[in-house]
Amino acid sequence: MSSSKMTLRETLRLHMRAFRTIRRIRPWLFASITAASAASAVTPYIAVYFSARIIDELAAQRRVEVLKNLVLAALIAVGVITLVSGVLGAIKNVMMASCRIRKDKIYPEKIFSMDFADLDDARTRDLRAQIQQNEWWAGWGFDVFIDTWKALAKSIAGIMGAAALTFSLFVSRVPEGSSLALLNHPAAGVALVILFGVCTAIGPACRNKINRDYANISEKARFANRLYGAFGFICHETHRAADFRIYNQGPIALGYLKTGVGVFGTKGELAGKARAGIAAVCAMGEMAAGALMTGIVYAFVCLKAWAGAFGVGSVTQYVGAATALSANLAKLFGSVGVLRTNAVFLKNIYEFLDIPNAMYQGSLTTEKRADRRYEVEFCDVSFKYPGTDVWALRHVNMKFEIGKRLAIVGENGSGKTTFIKLLCRLYDPQEGQILLNGIDIRKYRYDDYMRIFSIVFQDFQLISQPLGANVAGAAQYDRERAERALGEAGFDERLHTMPKGLDTMLYKDIDKDGVDVSGGEAQKIAIARALYKDAPFIVLDEPTAALDPIAEAEIYAKFDEIAGDRTAIYISHRLSSCKFCDEITVFSGGSVIQKGTHEELLADGEGQYKLLWDAQAQYYNK
Ligand code: ADP
């Protein structure tokens, strides 16, 4: 939606919401900004007021005592307000800095709690990239709102101060009988206020029009944002460094980046708007309006002083206050315009933050069974990835027998990983049901359900944390259990070479003494992590792909022992590694096409399993 279509009501609603969001994360922020801005806005008026009184005294009776007192009062008043303003400003700065840090947690918190399916959705990624780009662009969203609040508080306090100083301009009367007595008429004052308001509003109105144009192209900038999101930081991703060099990916990434950033560059549409006719017309209109307004104010004030309504000191007071009033009114109009533009960006932010966490709606707790008798069953399950029309799984039926070892095999893209993702509820199926002990898994509390699975995904991720914390998934953990898990995963020898043992930091992102582990070592740590979790189900998706043949053979030999009384699901391309499983399921094109033991499946001479087996075996036999 463009900001020109954004109603004032919607603008207010969105900003009230932003106000509540910010107040929740930094309660006294708005109060501190308001106090500091008000204090700094009224400071100049103190000098204006006392200068006027001093000039009046100098031009009239020139009493030394009065002059002395006025100067002293001015000094004290300016000193006190400067001090108060300085202290309030410092408090405000601290509040703003801490708010910025706390505010940065809003998006990670949302992302961490979001349904996996939504996170994976292109629209969500687009929205997130857009929000980020708008924030980097000019702080659109929460930052602009906070800055505008500051400007509003300052301008409203400034307007109140200026109004207090100009009030006597309208009530001071030109002596009756003077040819200028018509200036006493209320219409004269009203006309002055209207002309003053109109002239002041011209500049902000123009600027707001330009600002709205900026907001309107944010939709068009979406593709540029996407490119920026995809290529802007790619050079910092060290795991890409080798491919970058070998496959010349650098120039390609830079080329895309140039196209993306071009939208915001000097030759882009935005810059064009700034150079367009409207910008020139605005600048000239603003200049003319400013000159006209100053002329009118000077004429009104000087004529009244000329006719004897007030002294010369008051002239400086009224002119000074009127100038400040005009600046503050312009700031107020401008701020309202900025809020209307900003509402478009806030709308995006709340669209993202409001994505419902549908998966978290189940309320049943899973039974805590010491006997680990958790039975999971797929009943005619079909699934398509969000945004696609192709069934990744079709009519899948499967029952996991408690404590058994199940192997899942099949060609690339046959649906094996998708099957696991559904099993652990990263996605919900569009058709059919998955049952845990006879109840649809959607009815369970999500986090509770997740507790029954230990999974090693193909693309598992370890983080820059000490080794033990990675294994345990917590900073405080049972060290003995972590060492045992690493031992079972075949990592014990390497562990003993690490000087800090479990406390060795993985990778160098946050500690220069961190240790970079190889792909195979990382895979062992990932397996140890799954073992430490000690859940009733253990799922290994291609668990040995990065291991050397000896390590792989070790894992196979120990797999039965490792799995213990858990129900184990094992996905592998290497059929020889599945022989030990109680049952083997063969996937093809998203469906289960064969089930049985290794011997049973081999006996089916026409079956897919036999085909796959022969294809692999021929190299060994030769
Ligand atoms: P396998 O693990 O057997 O290699 P997958 O389960 O990963 O196969 O993939 C099954 C099908 O789903 C493939 O056609 C794949 O292209 C598609 N697919 C996998 N992940 C996604 C995704 N995130 N979005 C859309 N399609 C996907």
Side-chain angles (χ1 to χ4, degrees), residues 120 385 388 392 411-418 427 458:
D120 207 26
Y385 279 97
T388 67
E411 293 160 291
N412 287 337
S414 57
K416 304 183 295 292
T417 301
T418 307
Y427 297 95
Q458 278 176 47

Side-chain angles (χ1 to χ4, degrees), residues 90-164:
I91 294 173
K92 177 209 72 183
N93 288 345
V94 171
M95 288 276 183
M96 285 189 64
S98 83
C99 174
R100 193 147 290 154
I101 291 166
R102 291 188 189 189
K103 188 172 62 59
D104 283 347
K105 289 201 306 202
I106 294 177
Y107 301 116
E109 275 171 6
K110 176 67 191 172
I111 289 168
F112 287 142
S113 66
M114 197 179 245
D115 290 351
F116 185 86
D118 286 320
L119 196 60
D120 207 26
D121 191 5
R123 168 73 192 140
T124 313
R125 279 187 252 170
D126 218 31
L127 205 51
R128 178 71 198 109
Q130 226 185 331
I131 292 168
Q132 199 167 45
Q133 178 62 46
N134 295 334
E135 285 187 347
W136 288 337
W137 175 12
W140 290 112
F142 293 127
D143 287 342
V144 164
F145 173 49
I146 294 172
D147 284 344
T148 311
W149 181 278
K150 196 161 61 180
L152 276 173
K154 220 170 174 164
S155 53
I156 291 171
I159 288 165
M160 281 161 55

Side-chain angles (χ1 to χ4, degrees), residues 248-265:
N248 202 30
Q249 289 177 334
I252 299 174
L254 285 174
Y256 277 125
L257 198 56
K258 207 168 148 200
T259 314
V261 176
V263 172
F264 303 101

Side-chain angles (χ1 to χ4, degrees), residues 51-66:
S51 312
R53 297 291 77 75
I54 291 168
I55 293 170
D56 269 343
E57 187 58 31
L58 284 172
Q61 302 183 48
R62 305 167 61 119
R63 288 165 296 177
V64 176
E65 196 59 25
V66 173

